[in-house]
Every structure is written in structure tokens, then in C-alpha cells.
Amino acid sequence: MPADAPRLLLLGCGAFGRVHLAALAALGLAPRVLGFDPDPAAATAARAAFPWLRLAAGLEAGLAACDAVILATPVPTHAALAATVLRAGRDLFLEKPAVERAEEARALLRLAAERGRIVQVGLYFRSHPKARALRALIAEGAFGRLHWLAGRFSGLKRARGDSGALLNDAVHFADLLPWLAGAPVARVFAQLADPLGRGREDLAVLQLRFADGALGLIEAGCVLPGRWPDAVVPGAETRKEIAVAGSAALAEVDFAAETFRLRRGRHRPAAGGAFVPEHAPAETVAAPAAGPVQVVAAELAAFLDCLAARRAPEADLRAGALLPALVLDAARRSAQEGRAVAVEEA
């Protein structure tokens, strides 16, 4: 652990907060960490799982004793708590989804700029080795011109009490697909359903058109067949998959199974106006496996590097909070109006 490592406050000690604690311990930062959760049961459970964890007496005391905050509380609390952290002059790692609506992201952007604070959004899949390997292949031109990006983040699991499929699941790929494509989403046509009758969308299908003309699709929900045991939610079955297709290659990445399958090749003209595929056999792309603790540790290490250099993170508030929120806002409007709608400019 560097002698000048910042003092960190973990705000929110629930299930994913405990993943953060494991990641912080793996980084050798346990002595620099305080925890606080307004729910005493969550704080007690975290302390039982991580006996080294020191708990702050309250939020104000925790903020006074730290240099930066990791915010992993329920989604509806993010905007207000993030603003409190920034007003206290602390840098912030803000778990996804950063906010519920784009207007909240804009307010936090203004506040962070006013206070000169660094904010990184915890966008899990950006730090997964397979997503990073796929992005590198796209950037070097291995896929040619992209025409399709799709993500499935769905399965059979509990419906969170604080959010539906858009904020809990679809947000991952509302960020990841444009990040991979290197182009923003321009238009969205969405259909949302409430199969549990609880007043939230627990099933969401988003059709996307990117600014460069590529098409996309996001499926999200907690009421669909899963395929693999979920690495974070005990007893849940999940699918966490993306597919990318371009003029020179096709790929499928299954994050739950840790597979990355690539086929290089093109459709070639044939007799009678047909085009036939001439693709090489599937190859397995070498990219390390990574569980939740390793991925979160990579996110936090990047955050600490940004703090040390006082530079903006790749997944800052504009890229990691505002842009995904604009896509999800457009999805809500589309579902309500029954038509494709343009994504607002950032």
C-alpha cells in the first residue's frame, strides 16, 4: 500500500458494497478504509464479513475522516448523496447507475466542476478484460465497419426494490455498446413491461440506431430464463452476453461463461446476385477471466491512479453518467409514446 494512499469512505455496505470491500482488501487498502451505512444491519453484516473494517459513527464523521468516497447505496439515494460528497470537497467513485435521470447527471457535472472534484462512475464491464480485448480489436479495425451490437443482461433473479430493468440491468449495455462502437446512440425504440405488476419495468427491450448507422439491441430483465449461476446474486441465473458484427468479423462474448468467440471473414459476391459468407473457423480470443472482485479492483485502481495524477477518468460523469442516462430517458419516452425517439444531445 502506498504511504500516500487516500483515506477512503465506503458509503453503502450492502451486497455490492461488500464486493468493494473485498477488492479494497485485495489492493492492500484495508487500513485506509472506513465504512458507513444508514442501515445498521448492513453495516453489521459487512463488519462480520470483514473484521478489519472500521465503521464511521455517521456520514458527517465519515466525510471528515476521508479524502475520497466510494458510493454504493441504493439507486434513488445517489444524486443527493453524491452532491453531499462533492459539496464536502471529496472525490467520488459512484457506482452504477450513477443517477436515475439525465437532469441529475447534469447537476452533478456542474457541481463537480465548481468544486474541482474527480468523479468516476463504476461501469463494471468497461474494466472486464474481455470487453477491453474486444474494444481493442474494434479500434484496430479487425471488424471493419460495424453494423450490429447487441447485449443481453437478463435472467431469473430477484426484482430489486429500488429500480427496474433499465437502471439495474440495461444501463450496463447502454454504456458498454457505445463505448465499444466509438459512436453514440442516436435513436431508441423501446418496449417496457411490468410482468410482476409491481409498478416497475422488469422487462425491457431497446432497439438502437447509432450515430454512424449501426444497429443495436439490448434485452434486460429479471423474469427471463437464465443460463449460468450469477456471480454476485446468490441463487440467481443469468445471461450476460454481447454480440458484435462488422464487415470483416463477428464476435460473441459471454461474461458469465468467460468465453470470447471470434470469426473473421466477409460476405463475397456470388452468382445470381447472392452474397455468401467466407469466414474462417471460430477462434478463441485470449483474454483473462475475471470475477467481480478482480473487476472492481481494476476499477478502483484506475480511480486511485486518477486521484494521484489529478486527471479525469475515462468513465467520468459525462461519459459514465450523462450519456447512459440520456439513452434510458429516451427509452422511457419511446415506450410511453410508442415510437422511436432521438436521444438528446449531451
Short mmCIF file of all heavy atoms in Angstrom, two decimals, residues 122-187:
data_model
loop_
_atom_site.label_atom_id
_atom_site.label_comp_id
_atom_site.label_asym_id
_atom_site.label_seq_id
_atom_site.Cartn_x
_atom_site.Cartn_y
_atom_site.Cartn_z
N GLY A 122 -18.73 3.74 -11.67
CA GLY A 122 -18.36 2.33 -11.64
C GLY A 122 -19.06 1.53 -12.72
O GLY A 122 -20.07 0.88 -12.45
N LEU A 123 -18.54 1.58 -13.91
CA LEU A 123 -19.12 0.84 -15.04
C LEU A 123 -18.35 -0.46 -15.20
O LEU A 123 -17.30 -0.53 -15.84
CB LEU A 123 -19.08 1.70 -16.30
CG LEU A 123 -20.00 2.93 -16.19
CD1 LEU A 123 -19.67 3.95 -17.25
CD2 LEU A 123 -21.46 2.51 -16.27
N TYR A 124 -18.90 -1.49 -14.62
CA TYR A 124 -18.23 -2.77 -14.42
C TYR A 124 -17.62 -3.34 -15.69
O TYR A 124 -16.44 -3.72 -15.70
CB TYR A 124 -19.27 -3.74 -13.84
CG TYR A 124 -18.80 -5.12 -13.51
CD1 TYR A 124 -18.37 -5.43 -12.22
CD2 TYR A 124 -18.80 -6.14 -14.47
CE1 TYR A 124 -17.95 -6.71 -11.90
CE2 TYR A 124 -18.37 -7.41 -14.15
CZ TYR A 124 -17.95 -7.70 -12.87
OH TYR A 124 -17.54 -8.96 -12.55
N PHE A 125 -18.40 -3.41 -16.75
CA PHE A 125 -17.93 -4.14 -17.93
C PHE A 125 -16.81 -3.42 -18.66
O PHE A 125 -16.03 -4.06 -19.39
CB PHE A 125 -19.09 -4.46 -18.86
CG PHE A 125 -20.00 -5.52 -18.29
CD1 PHE A 125 -21.23 -5.17 -17.77
CD2 PHE A 125 -19.61 -6.85 -18.25
CE1 PHE A 125 -22.06 -6.13 -17.22
CE2 PHE A 125 -20.44 -7.81 -17.71
CZ PHE A 125 -21.67 -7.46 -17.19
N ARG A 126 -16.68 -2.11 -18.49
CA ARG A 126 -15.55 -1.43 -19.12
C ARG A 126 -14.22 -1.95 -18.59
O ARG A 126 -13.19 -1.83 -19.27
CB ARG A 126 -15.63 0.08 -18.85
CG ARG A 126 -16.66 0.83 -19.64
CD ARG A 126 -16.35 2.30 -19.55
NE ARG A 126 -17.36 3.15 -20.17
CZ ARG A 126 -17.12 4.37 -20.60
NH1 ARG A 126 -15.91 4.88 -20.48
NH2 ARG A 126 -18.09 5.09 -21.14
N SER A 127 -14.21 -2.47 -17.37
CA SER A 127 -12.97 -2.96 -16.78
C SER A 127 -12.81 -4.47 -16.90
O SER A 127 -11.84 -5.02 -16.38
CB SER A 127 -12.89 -2.55 -15.30
OG SER A 127 -12.72 -1.16 -15.18
N HIS A 128 -13.74 -5.14 -17.55
CA HIS A 128 -13.61 -6.58 -17.73
C HIS A 128 -12.60 -6.85 -18.85
O HIS A 128 -12.68 -6.23 -19.92
CB HIS A 128 -14.96 -7.20 -18.08
CG HIS A 128 -14.97 -8.69 -17.93
ND1 HIS A 128 -14.28 -9.52 -18.78
CD2 HIS A 128 -15.57 -9.49 -17.02
CE1 HIS A 128 -14.46 -10.77 -18.40
NE2 HIS A 128 -15.23 -10.78 -17.34
N PRO A 129 -11.65 -7.76 -18.65
CA PRO A 129 -10.62 -7.99 -19.67
C PRO A 129 -11.17 -8.37 -21.04
O PRO A 129 -10.60 -7.97 -22.07
CB PRO A 129 -9.80 -9.15 -19.09
CG PRO A 129 -10.01 -9.06 -17.61
CD PRO A 129 -11.41 -8.55 -17.43
N LYS A 130 -12.27 -9.09 -21.08
CA LYS A 130 -12.82 -9.50 -22.39
C LYS A 130 -13.43 -8.31 -23.12
O LYS A 130 -13.31 -8.20 -24.35
CB LYS A 130 -13.81 -10.65 -22.21
CG LYS A 130 -13.12 -11.97 -21.87
CD LYS A 130 -14.08 -13.10 -21.73
CE LYS A 130 -13.31 -14.43 -21.65
NZ LYS A 130 -12.32 -14.48 -20.55
N ALA A 131 -14.09 -7.42 -22.41
CA ALA A 131 -14.63 -6.22 -23.06
C ALA A 131 -13.50 -5.33 -23.56
O ALA A 131 -13.58 -4.76 -24.66
CB ALA A 131 -15.53 -5.46 -22.09
N ARG A 132 -12.44 -5.23 -22.79
CA ARG A 132 -11.32 -4.40 -23.21
C ARG A 132 -10.60 -5.01 -24.42
O ARG A 132 -10.16 -4.29 -25.32
CB ARG A 132 -10.36 -4.17 -22.04
CG ARG A 132 -11.02 -3.46 -20.86
CD ARG A 132 -10.01 -2.91 -19.89
NE ARG A 132 -9.30 -1.75 -20.42
CZ ARG A 132 -9.77 -0.50 -20.40
NH1 ARG A 132 -10.96 -0.24 -19.88
NH2 ARG A 132 -9.05 0.49 -20.89
N ALA A 133 -10.51 -6.35 -24.45
CA ALA A 133 -9.90 -7.00 -25.61
C ALA A 133 -10.76 -6.81 -26.85
O ALA A 133 -10.23 -6.57 -27.95
CB ALA A 133 -9.71 -8.49 -25.31
N LEU A 134 -12.09 -6.87 -26.69
CA LEU A 134 -12.99 -6.66 -27.83
C LEU A 134 -12.87 -5.24 -28.35
O LEU A 134 -12.78 -5.00 -29.55
CB LEU A 134 -14.42 -6.97 -27.42
CG LEU A 134 -15.51 -6.69 -28.45
CD1 LEU A 134 -15.26 -7.46 -29.73
CD2 LEU A 134 -16.89 -7.03 -27.87
N ARG A 135 -12.83 -4.30 -27.44
CA ARG A 135 -12.71 -2.90 -27.87
C ARG A 135 -11.41 -2.65 -28.61
O ARG A 135 -11.37 -1.89 -29.60
CB ARG A 135 -12.81 -1.98 -26.65
CG ARG A 135 -12.92 -0.49 -27.00
CD ARG A 135 -13.20 0.31 -25.76
NE ARG A 135 -13.52 1.70 -26.05
CZ ARG A 135 -12.78 2.74 -25.68
NH1 ARG A 135 -11.65 2.55 -25.03
NH2 ARG A 135 -13.16 3.97 -25.97
N ALA A 136 -10.33 -3.28 -28.16
CA ALA A 136 -9.04 -3.10 -28.84
C ALA A 136 -9.10 -3.66 -30.26
O ALA A 136 -8.58 -3.04 -31.20
CB ALA A 136 -7.94 -3.79 -28.04
N LEU A 137 -9.76 -4.80 -30.44
CA LEU A 137 -9.90 -5.37 -31.78
C LEU A 137 -10.73 -4.45 -32.68
O LEU A 137 -10.39 -4.25 -33.86
CB LEU A 137 -10.56 -6.74 -31.70
CG LEU A 137 -9.67 -7.90 -31.23
CD1 LEU A 137 -10.53 -9.13 -30.94
CD2 LEU A 137 -8.61 -8.22 -32.27
N ILE A 138 -11.81 -3.89 -32.14
CA ILE A 138 -12.63 -2.97 -32.92
C ILE A 138 -11.82 -1.75 -33.31
O ILE A 138 -11.83 -1.30 -34.47
CB ILE A 138 -13.89 -2.58 -32.14
CG1 ILE A 138 -14.81 -3.80 -31.96
CG2 ILE A 138 -14.64 -1.45 -32.83
CD1 ILE A 138 -15.96 -3.56 -30.99
N ALA A 139 -11.08 -1.20 -32.36
CA ALA A 139 -10.31 0.03 -32.60
C ALA A 139 -9.22 -0.18 -33.65
O ALA A 139 -8.91 0.75 -34.42
CB ALA A 139 -9.69 0.52 -31.30
N GLU A 140 -8.65 -1.38 -33.69
CA GLU A 140 -7.58 -1.61 -34.67
C GLU A 140 -8.12 -1.99 -36.04
O GLU A 140 -7.36 -2.21 -36.99
CB GLU A 140 -6.64 -2.71 -34.17
CG GLU A 140 -7.20 -4.11 -34.17
CD GLU A 140 -6.26 -5.14 -33.57
OE1 GLU A 140 -5.49 -4.77 -32.66
OE2 GLU A 140 -6.30 -6.31 -34.00
N GLY A 141 -9.46 -2.05 -36.19
CA GLY A 141 -10.07 -2.30 -37.49
C GLY A 141 -10.35 -3.74 -37.82
O GLY A 141 -10.70 -4.05 -38.97
N ALA A 142 -10.23 -4.64 -36.84
CA ALA A 142 -10.41 -6.07 -37.12
C ALA A 142 -11.83 -6.40 -37.57
O ALA A 142 -12.05 -7.39 -38.27
CB ALA A 142 -10.06 -6.89 -35.88
N PHE A 143 -12.81 -5.57 -37.21
CA PHE A 143 -14.20 -5.84 -37.57
C PHE A 143 -14.64 -5.09 -38.82
O PHE A 143 -15.77 -5.26 -39.27
CB PHE A 143 -15.13 -5.47 -36.41
CG PHE A 143 -15.12 -6.46 -35.29
CD1 PHE A 143 -14.10 -6.45 -34.36
CD2 PHE A 143 -16.11 -7.41 -35.17
CE1 PHE A 143 -14.07 -7.37 -33.32
CE2 PHE A 143 -16.10 -8.33 -34.14
CZ PHE A 143 -15.07 -8.32 -33.21
N GLY A 144 -13.77 -4.25 -39.37
CA GLY A 144 -14.20 -3.42 -40.48
C GLY A 144 -15.25 -2.42 -39.99
O GLY A 144 -15.17 -1.91 -38.88
N ARG A 145 -16.24 -2.18 -40.81
CA ARG A 145 -17.33 -1.27 -40.43
C ARG A 145 -18.36 -2.04 -39.60
O ARG A 145 -18.92 -3.03 -40.05
CB ARG A 145 -17.99 -0.67 -41.66
CG ARG A 145 -19.11 0.31 -41.33
CD ARG A 145 -19.68 0.95 -42.59
NE ARG A 145 -20.79 1.83 -42.27
CZ ARG A 145 -20.65 3.09 -41.85
NH1 ARG A 145 -19.44 3.62 -41.72
NH2 ARG A 145 -21.70 3.84 -41.57
N LEU A 146 -18.61 -1.59 -38.40
CA LEU A 146 -19.59 -2.25 -37.54
C LEU A 146 -21.01 -2.01 -38.05
O LEU A 146 -21.34 -0.90 -38.50
CB LEU A 146 -19.50 -1.72 -36.11
CG LEU A 146 -18.26 -2.08 -35.29
CD1 LEU A 146 -18.37 -1.48 -33.90
CD2 LEU A 146 -18.06 -3.58 -35.21
N HIS A 147 -21.85 -3.05 -37.98
CA HIS A 147 -23.25 -2.84 -38.32
C HIS A 147 -24.21 -3.38 -37.26
O HIS A 147 -25.41 -3.17 -37.37
CB HIS A 147 -23.59 -3.48 -39.69
CG HIS A 147 -23.20 -4.92 -39.83
ND1 HIS A 147 -22.16 -5.33 -40.64
CD2 HIS A 147 -23.70 -6.04 -39.29
CE1 HIS A 147 -22.04 -6.64 -40.59
NE2 HIS A 147 -22.97 -7.11 -39.77
N TRP A 148 -23.68 -4.02 -36.20
CA TRP A 148 -24.58 -4.60 -35.20
C TRP A 148 -23.85 -4.75 -33.86
O TRP A 148 -22.73 -5.26 -33.80
CB TRP A 148 -25.05 -5.97 -35.66
CG TRP A 148 -25.91 -6.75 -34.68
CD1 TRP A 148 -25.54 -7.85 -33.96
CD2 TRP A 148 -27.27 -6.48 -34.32
NE1 TRP A 148 -26.59 -8.28 -33.18
CE2 TRP A 148 -27.66 -7.46 -33.39
CE3 TRP A 148 -28.19 -5.52 -34.71
CZ2 TRP A 148 -28.94 -7.50 -32.83
CZ3 TRP A 148 -29.46 -5.55 -34.17
CH2 TRP A 148 -29.82 -6.53 -33.24
N LEU A 149 -24.51 -4.29 -32.78
CA LEU A 149 -24.02 -4.50 -31.42
C LEU A 149 -25.22 -4.83 -30.56
O LEU A 149 -26.21 -4.08 -30.56
CB LEU A 149 -23.32 -3.26 -30.86
CG LEU A 149 -22.10 -2.75 -31.64
CD1 LEU A 149 -22.50 -1.56 -32.52
CD2 LEU A 149 -21.00 -2.32 -30.67
N ALA A 150 -25.15 -5.93 -29.85
CA ALA A 150 -26.28 -6.36 -29.04
C ALA A 150 -25.80 -6.81 -27.67
O ALA A 150 -24.70 -7.36 -27.53
CB ALA A 150 -27.04 -7.49 -29.73
N GLY A 151 -26.63 -6.59 -26.67
CA GLY A 151 -26.30 -7.01 -25.32
C GLY A 151 -27.51 -7.63 -24.65
O GLY A 151 -28.63 -7.13 -24.79
N ARG A 152 -27.28 -8.70 -23.93
CA ARG A 152 -28.34 -9.35 -23.15
C ARG A 152 -27.88 -9.41 -21.70
O ARG A 152 -26.86 -10.03 -21.39
CB ARG A 152 -28.59 -10.76 -23.70
CG ARG A 152 -29.55 -11.58 -22.84
CD ARG A 152 -29.67 -12.99 -23.36
NE ARG A 152 -30.55 -13.04 -24.53
CZ ARG A 152 -30.76 -14.16 -25.24
NH1 ARG A 152 -30.11 -15.27 -24.94
NH2 ARG A 152 -31.58 -14.14 -26.27
N PHE A 153 -28.59 -8.71 -20.85
CA PHE A 153 -28.33 -8.71 -19.41
C PHE A 153 -29.64 -9.07 -18.74
O PHE A 153 -30.43 -8.21 -18.38
CB PHE A 153 -27.82 -7.35 -18.94
CG PHE A 153 -27.19 -7.36 -17.58
CD1 PHE A 153 -25.85 -7.07 -17.41
CD2 PHE A 153 -27.94 -7.64 -16.45
CE1 PHE A 153 -25.26 -7.07 -16.16
CE2 PHE A 153 -27.38 -7.65 -15.19
CZ PHE A 153 -26.02 -7.36 -15.05
N SER A 154 -29.90 -10.36 -18.63
CA SER A 154 -31.21 -10.80 -18.16
C SER A 154 -31.08 -12.14 -17.46
O SER A 154 -30.02 -12.77 -17.48
CB SER A 154 -32.18 -10.90 -19.34
OG SER A 154 -31.68 -11.80 -20.32
N GLY A 155 -32.17 -12.58 -16.87
CA GLY A 155 -32.15 -13.87 -16.21
C GLY A 155 -33.29 -14.00 -15.22
O GLY A 155 -34.28 -13.25 -15.26
N LEU A 156 -33.13 -14.95 -14.33
CA LEU A 156 -34.14 -15.25 -13.32
C LEU A 156 -33.53 -14.88 -11.97
O LEU A 156 -32.63 -15.56 -11.47
CB LEU A 156 -34.50 -16.73 -13.36
CG LEU A 156 -35.62 -17.19 -12.43
CD1 LEU A 156 -36.93 -16.50 -12.80
CD2 LEU A 156 -35.78 -18.70 -12.50
N LYS A 157 -34.00 -13.77 -11.41
CA LYS A 157 -33.42 -13.27 -10.16
C LYS A 157 -34.42 -12.38 -9.46
O LYS A 157 -35.50 -12.09 -9.98
CB LYS A 157 -32.14 -12.49 -10.46
CG LYS A 157 -32.32 -11.30 -11.40
CD LYS A 157 -30.99 -10.62 -11.70
CE LYS A 157 -31.17 -9.46 -12.66
NZ LYS A 157 -29.90 -8.76 -12.94
N ARG A 158 -34.06 -11.92 -8.29
CA ARG A 158 -34.96 -11.05 -7.53
C ARG A 158 -35.13 -9.72 -8.25
O ARG A 158 -34.21 -9.24 -8.94
CB ARG A 158 -34.42 -10.80 -6.13
CG ARG A 158 -33.20 -9.91 -6.07
CD ARG A 158 -32.71 -9.73 -4.65
NE ARG A 158 -31.48 -8.94 -4.60
CZ ARG A 158 -31.43 -7.63 -4.35
NH1 ARG A 158 -32.56 -6.98 -4.12
NH2 ARG A 158 -30.29 -6.99 -4.32
N ALA A 159 -36.30 -9.15 -8.11
CA ALA A 159 -36.55 -7.81 -8.61
C ALA A 159 -36.18 -6.82 -7.52
O ALA A 159 -36.75 -6.85 -6.43
CB ALA A 159 -38.02 -7.65 -9.00
N ARG A 160 -35.21 -5.97 -7.78
CA ARG A 160 -34.77 -5.01 -6.77
C ARG A 160 -35.90 -4.08 -6.40
O ARG A 160 -36.70 -3.66 -7.24
CB ARG A 160 -33.59 -4.20 -7.30
CG ARG A 160 -32.30 -4.98 -7.41
CD ARG A 160 -31.20 -4.09 -7.94
NE ARG A 160 -31.01 -2.91 -7.11
CZ ARG A 160 -29.87 -2.60 -6.51
NH1 ARG A 160 -28.83 -3.39 -6.62
NH2 ARG A 160 -29.77 -1.49 -5.79
N GLY A 161 -35.92 -3.69 -5.14
CA GLY A 161 -36.96 -2.79 -4.69
C GLY A 161 -36.74 -1.35 -5.09
O GLY A 161 -37.67 -0.55 -5.08
N ASP A 162 -35.50 -0.99 -5.47
CA ASP A 162 -35.19 0.41 -5.74
C ASP A 162 -35.12 0.74 -7.22
O ASP A 162 -34.89 1.89 -7.58
CB ASP A 162 -33.87 0.80 -5.05
CG ASP A 162 -32.67 0.02 -5.58
OD1 ASP A 162 -32.87 -0.89 -6.40
OD2 ASP A 162 -31.55 0.33 -5.17
N SER A 163 -35.29 -0.25 -8.10
CA SER A 163 -35.15 0.04 -9.53
C SER A 163 -35.70 -1.10 -10.35
O SER A 163 -35.92 -2.21 -9.85
CB SER A 163 -33.67 0.28 -9.90
OG SER A 163 -32.90 -0.87 -9.61
N GLY A 164 -35.91 -0.83 -11.64
CA GLY A 164 -36.36 -1.84 -12.57
C GLY A 164 -35.25 -2.26 -13.51
O GLY A 164 -34.06 -2.03 -13.25
N ALA A 165 -35.64 -2.86 -14.63
CA ALA A 165 -34.66 -3.44 -15.54
C ALA A 165 -33.79 -2.38 -16.22
O ALA A 165 -32.63 -2.66 -16.55
CB ALA A 165 -35.38 -4.27 -16.61
N LEU A 166 -34.29 -1.19 -16.43
CA LEU A 166 -33.49 -0.17 -17.09
C LEU A 166 -32.28 0.21 -16.25
O LEU A 166 -31.14 0.19 -16.71
CB LEU A 166 -34.33 1.07 -17.41
CG LEU A 166 -35.35 0.92 -18.53
CD1 LEU A 166 -36.17 2.20 -18.67
CD2 LEU A 166 -34.68 0.58 -19.86
N LEU A 167 -32.53 0.58 -15.00
CA LEU A 167 -31.44 1.06 -14.15
C LEU A 167 -30.59 -0.06 -13.59
O LEU A 167 -29.40 0.13 -13.34
CB LEU A 167 -32.01 1.91 -13.01
CG LEU A 167 -32.57 3.27 -13.42
CD1 LEU A 167 -33.26 3.93 -12.25
CD2 LEU A 167 -31.46 4.17 -13.95
N ASN A 168 -31.19 -1.22 -13.35
CA ASN A 168 -30.42 -2.30 -12.76
C ASN A 168 -29.60 -3.07 -13.79
O ASN A 168 -28.49 -3.50 -13.49
CB ASN A 168 -31.35 -3.28 -12.03
CG ASN A 168 -30.60 -4.26 -11.16
OD1 ASN A 168 -29.65 -3.90 -10.48
ND2 ASN A 168 -31.01 -5.50 -11.19
N ASP A 169 -30.13 -3.23 -14.99
CA ASP A 169 -29.50 -4.12 -15.97
C ASP A 169 -29.15 -3.42 -17.28
O ASP A 169 -28.00 -3.45 -17.72
CB ASP A 169 -30.43 -5.30 -16.27
CG ASP A 169 -30.75 -6.12 -15.02
OD1 ASP A 169 -29.85 -6.28 -14.18
OD2 ASP A 169 -31.89 -6.58 -14.89
N ALA A 170 -30.14 -2.79 -17.93
CA ALA A 170 -29.90 -2.22 -19.26
C ALA A 170 -28.82 -1.15 -19.24
O ALA A 170 -28.12 -0.95 -20.24
CB ALA A 170 -31.20 -1.65 -19.82
N VAL A 171 -28.67 -0.45 -18.11
CA VAL A 171 -27.69 0.63 -18.03
C VAL A 171 -26.28 0.15 -18.36
O VAL A 171 -25.48 0.88 -18.94
CB VAL A 171 -27.74 1.29 -16.64
CG1 VAL A 171 -27.29 0.33 -15.54
CG2 VAL A 171 -26.89 2.56 -16.61
N HIS A 172 -25.96 -1.10 -18.00
CA HIS A 172 -24.63 -1.63 -18.30
C HIS A 172 -24.33 -1.52 -19.80
O HIS A 172 -23.26 -1.04 -20.20
CB HIS A 172 -24.54 -3.10 -17.90
CG HIS A 172 -24.35 -3.32 -16.44
ND1 HIS A 172 -23.17 -3.05 -15.79
CD2 HIS A 172 -25.19 -3.81 -15.49
CE1 HIS A 172 -23.27 -3.36 -14.51
NE2 HIS A 172 -24.50 -3.83 -14.30
N PHE A 173 -25.28 -1.97 -20.62
CA PHE A 173 -25.01 -2.02 -22.05
C PHE A 173 -25.40 -0.73 -22.76
O PHE A 173 -24.96 -0.49 -23.89
CB PHE A 173 -25.68 -3.23 -22.67
CG PHE A 173 -25.07 -4.53 -22.17
CD1 PHE A 173 -25.83 -5.68 -22.06
CD2 PHE A 173 -23.75 -4.59 -21.79
CE1 PHE A 173 -25.27 -6.86 -21.60
CE2 PHE A 173 -23.17 -5.76 -21.31
CZ PHE A 173 -23.93 -6.90 -21.23
N ALA A 174 -26.22 0.12 -22.12
CA ALA A 174 -26.44 1.46 -22.64
C ALA A 174 -25.14 2.25 -22.61
O ALA A 174 -24.95 3.20 -23.38
CB ALA A 174 -27.51 2.19 -21.82
N ASP A 175 -24.23 1.86 -21.74
CA ASP A 175 -22.88 2.44 -21.74
C ASP A 175 -21.92 1.61 -22.59
O ASP A 175 -21.19 2.15 -23.42
CB ASP A 175 -22.32 2.51 -20.32
CG ASP A 175 -20.83 2.85 -20.34
OD1 ASP A 175 -20.49 4.00 -20.63
OD2 ASP A 175 -20.01 1.92 -20.11
N LEU A 176 -21.90 0.30 -22.38
CA LEU A 176 -20.86 -0.53 -22.99
C LEU A 176 -20.92 -0.54 -24.51
O LEU A 176 -19.88 -0.45 -25.18
CB LEU A 176 -20.95 -1.97 -22.46
CG LEU A 176 -19.82 -2.89 -22.91
CD1 LEU A 176 -18.50 -2.49 -22.25
CD2 LEU A 176 -20.14 -4.35 -22.60
N LEU A 177 -22.11 -0.64 -25.09
CA LEU A 177 -22.20 -0.75 -26.55
C LEU A 177 -21.69 0.51 -27.25
O LEU A 177 -20.90 0.41 -28.20
CB LEU A 177 -23.62 -1.11 -26.98
CG LEU A 177 -24.16 -2.46 -26.46
CD1 LEU A 177 -25.53 -2.76 -27.07
CD2 LEU A 177 -23.19 -3.60 -26.73
N PRO A 178 -22.09 1.72 -26.84
CA PRO A 178 -21.48 2.91 -27.47
C PRO A 178 -19.98 3.01 -27.22
O PRO A 178 -19.23 3.48 -28.09
CB PRO A 178 -22.24 4.08 -26.82
CG PRO A 178 -23.52 3.48 -26.32
CD PRO A 178 -23.19 2.08 -25.94
N TRP A 179 -19.53 2.59 -26.04
CA TRP A 179 -18.10 2.61 -25.73
C TRP A 179 -17.34 1.70 -26.67
O TRP A 179 -16.26 2.05 -27.17
CB TRP A 179 -17.92 2.19 -24.27
CG TRP A 179 -16.52 2.13 -23.75
CD1 TRP A 179 -15.71 3.17 -23.44
CD2 TRP A 179 -15.77 0.94 -23.44
NE1 TRP A 179 -14.49 2.72 -22.96
CE2 TRP A 179 -14.52 1.35 -22.95
CE3 TRP A 179 -16.05 -0.42 -23.53
CZ2 TRP A 179 -13.54 0.44 -22.54
CZ3 TRP A 179 -15.08 -1.33 -23.12
CH2 TRP A 179 -13.84 -0.90 -22.64
N LEU A 180 -17.90 0.53 -26.95
CA LEU A 180 -17.27 -0.38 -27.90
C LEU A 180 -17.31 0.18 -29.32
O LEU A 180 -16.33 0.12 -30.06
CB LEU A 180 -17.98 -1.74 -27.88
CG LEU A 180 -17.79 -2.61 -26.64
CD1 LEU A 180 -18.76 -3.79 -26.68
CD2 LEU A 180 -16.35 -3.09 -26.52
N ALA A 181 -18.47 0.72 -29.70
CA ALA A 181 -18.66 1.20 -31.07
C ALA A 181 -17.87 2.45 -31.39
O ALA A 181 -17.55 2.72 -32.55
CB ALA A 181 -20.15 1.45 -31.32
N GLY A 182 -17.57 3.23 -30.35
CA GLY A 182 -16.95 4.52 -30.59
C GLY A 182 -17.91 5.51 -31.22
O GLY A 182 -17.49 6.47 -31.87
N ALA A 183 -19.21 5.29 -31.02
CA ALA A 183 -20.24 6.16 -31.57
C ALA A 183 -21.42 6.21 -30.60
O ALA A 183 -21.76 5.19 -29.99
CB ALA A 183 -20.71 5.65 -32.93
N PRO A 184 -22.04 7.37 -30.44
CA PRO A 184 -23.18 7.46 -29.53
C PRO A 184 -24.44 6.87 -30.13
O PRO A 184 -24.56 6.69 -31.35
CB PRO A 184 -23.33 8.98 -29.33
CG PRO A 184 -22.82 9.56 -30.61
CD PRO A 184 -21.69 8.67 -31.04
N VAL A 185 -25.39 6.57 -29.25
CA VAL A 185 -26.72 6.15 -29.70
C VAL A 185 -27.49 7.38 -30.14
O VAL A 185 -27.56 8.37 -29.41
CB VAL A 185 -27.47 5.42 -28.57
CG1 VAL A 185 -28.88 5.05 -29.02
CG2 VAL A 185 -26.70 4.17 -28.14
N ALA A 186 -28.06 7.33 -31.34
CA ALA A 186 -28.79 8.47 -31.88
C ALA A 186 -30.30 8.35 -31.67
O ALA A 186 -30.97 9.36 -31.40
CB ALA A 186 -28.50 8.64 -33.37
N ARG A 187 -30.84 7.13 -31.81
CA ARG A 187 -32.28 6.93 -31.68
C ARG A 187 -32.55 5.63 -30.93
O ARG A 187 -31.76 4.68 -31.00
CB ARG A 187 -32.97 6.88 -33.05
CG ARG A 187 -32.84 8.16 -33.86
CD ARG A 187 -33.61 8.08 -35.17
NE ARG A 187 -35.05 8.07 -34.96
CZ ARG A 187 -35.78 9.15 -34.72
NH1 ARG A 187 -35.22 10.34 -34.62
NH2 ARG A 187 -37.09 9.05 -34.56
#
